[in-house]
Amino acid sequence: MTTNYETMYILRPDLGEEQVEQAITKYQNLLRDQGAEDMQIQNRGKRRLAYEIKKHRDGIYIQLNYTAPATAIAPFERAMRLSEEVIRYLTVKQEIGEEKPPKEEKERPTKVAATTTA
């Protein structure tokens, strides 16, 4: 069974354009070898980090959306963890829901005001 995933990873800011392309291709091929399909890659470019990571203030953001079996994620993340060029990564399982009919509202019990007769 395949699931939709999104992985956002940050590359070191001192990498050249060619090195960035090589890194993207490397991880794309690694996922493809693990059975991933429907890959969409977005190079978000160099951006300022919210806080310093491994003595870097900037990073090159790459977003990768794909469909893959669950067994593909562990080797993919292991390769990123061991890599010198990746300073941070995060993989999120996407919840793409089907159209569900709206829930019917349950009838709420109406409050009856107590009346007293004197």
Side-chain angles (χ1 to χ4, degrees), residues 70-85:
T71 56
I73 303 305
F76 177 60
E77 287 189 342
R78 183 176 191 280
M80 288 189 163
R81 186 173 39 252
L82 296 175
S83 173
E84 294 284 327
E85 56 204 14

Side-chain angles (χ1 to χ4, degrees), residues 22-35 39:
Q22 287 176 350
I24 292 170
T25 305
K26 172 180 156 184
Y27 296 119
Q28 184 179 8
N29 291 338
L30 191 117
L31 272 175
R32 197 168 279 132
D33 292 344
Q34 296 292 326
M39 286 193 218

Side-chain angles (χ1 to χ4, degrees), residues 23 33 39 64 70 100 105 109-110 115:
D33 292 344
M39 286 193 218
L64 182 58
K100 294 182 182 179
E105 289 187 30
T110 56
T115 57

Side-chain angles (χ1 to χ4, degrees), residues 21-90:
E21 290 301 320
Q22 287 176 350
I24 292 170
T25 305
K26 172 180 156 184
Y27 296 119
Q28 184 179 8
N29 291 338
L30 191 117
L31 272 175
R32 197 168 279 132
D33 292 344
Q34 296 292 326
E37 301 171 339
D38 301 330
M39 286 193 218
Q40 299 170 354
I41 300 169
Q42 296 178 4
N43 185 341
R44 300 282 182 168
K46 189 182 283 191
R47 294 178 182 230
R48 182 70 121 178
L49 300 173
Y51 52 89
E52 204 170 282
I53 301 173
K54 297 183 182 177
K55 299 185 180 182
H56 295 288
R57 293 292 299 156
D58 296 321
I60 300 169
Y61 284 71
I62 310 294
Q63 180 180 343
L64 182 58
N65 293 29
Y66 53 96
T67 304
T71 56
I73 303 305
F76 177 60
E77 287 189 342
R78 183 176 191 280
M80 288 189 163
R81 186 173 39 252
L82 296 175
S83 173
E84 294 284 327
E85 56 204 14
V86 177
I87 58 176
R88 191 69 95 229
Y89 63 89
L90 177 68

